[in-house]
Amino acid sequence: MPWPHTRGSAPRRPQGESPGDIPRHTDTPTAPSTDTEARPSKSQRKRDAQALQGLGAQLVALSPGHLAQLDLPDALHEAVVAAQSMRSHGARTRQMQYIGKLMRQLDPASLRTVREALEPGRASTPRPQP
């Protein structure tokens, strides 16, 4: 299949452009959108994720009796119980990452409840029994 231009001839430029002009892209907005302004930076998101993973480590450190009193979602409760029984360092590290992921998926009200329950001197809310 032949090329659109022959050897020795340059591809055609639109009129009004000189060889030194930098092409302008019209499809990208020049002003920052409101979505990027409202979104936290990547570093801030990492700090938030590490803080939630630390909160998950506090949950893993709780006794089973105290853990049963907390009002945690079932998936998070099962992940914490599984992490408590793990002895392998690698498996426990992966499980802590998973707990952090589950903590990031919690709604703010549930997360606030967990934080309040882990504060020293606070009474924990009982977990509803099925």
Side-chain angles (χ1 to χ4, degrees):
M1 179 171 177
W3 291 94
H5 59 278
T6 61
R7 179 179 268 205
S9 67
R12 294 187 52 129
R13 265 188 224 99
Q15 284 187 334
E17 284 188 22
S18 63
D21 283 347
I22 298 174
R24 296 181 189 259
H25 298 283
T26 57
D27 58 343
T28 57
T30 56
S33 67
T34 57
D35 183 41
T36 57
E37 291 173 1
R39 200 169 92 186
S41 68
K42 184 176 181 180
S43 298
Q44 183 60 45
R45 288 183 286 159
K46 284 184 177 185
R47 285 189 293 269
D48 293 343
Q50 287 173 347
L52 289 176
Q53 192 172 348
L55 195 61
Q58 289 178 357
L59 287 174
V60 172
L62 292 176
S63 67
H66 190 77
L67 186 64
Q69 293 176 352
L70 295 178
D71 185 22
L72 298 176
D74 290 333
L76 180 60
H77 185 265
E78 290 172 9
V80 170
V81 169
Q84 287 176 337
S85 64
M86 292 181 180
R87 297 296 168 233
S88 169
H89 177 72
R92 191 175 177 100
T93 302
R94 282 189 300 276
Q95 189 70 11
M96 293 305 297
Q97 292 283 330
Y98 177 63
I99 290 172
K101 177 183 174 182
L102 293 176
M103 297 286 286
R104 288 189 301 274
Q105 293 173 354
L106 288 179
D107 59 303
S110 299
L111 194 56
R112 189 178 324 111
T113 305
V114 170
R115 282 188 175 129
E116 289 173 355
L118 290 176
E119 287 179 8
R122 284 269 186 162
S124 61
T125 54
R127 183 170 193 230
Q129 298 298 320

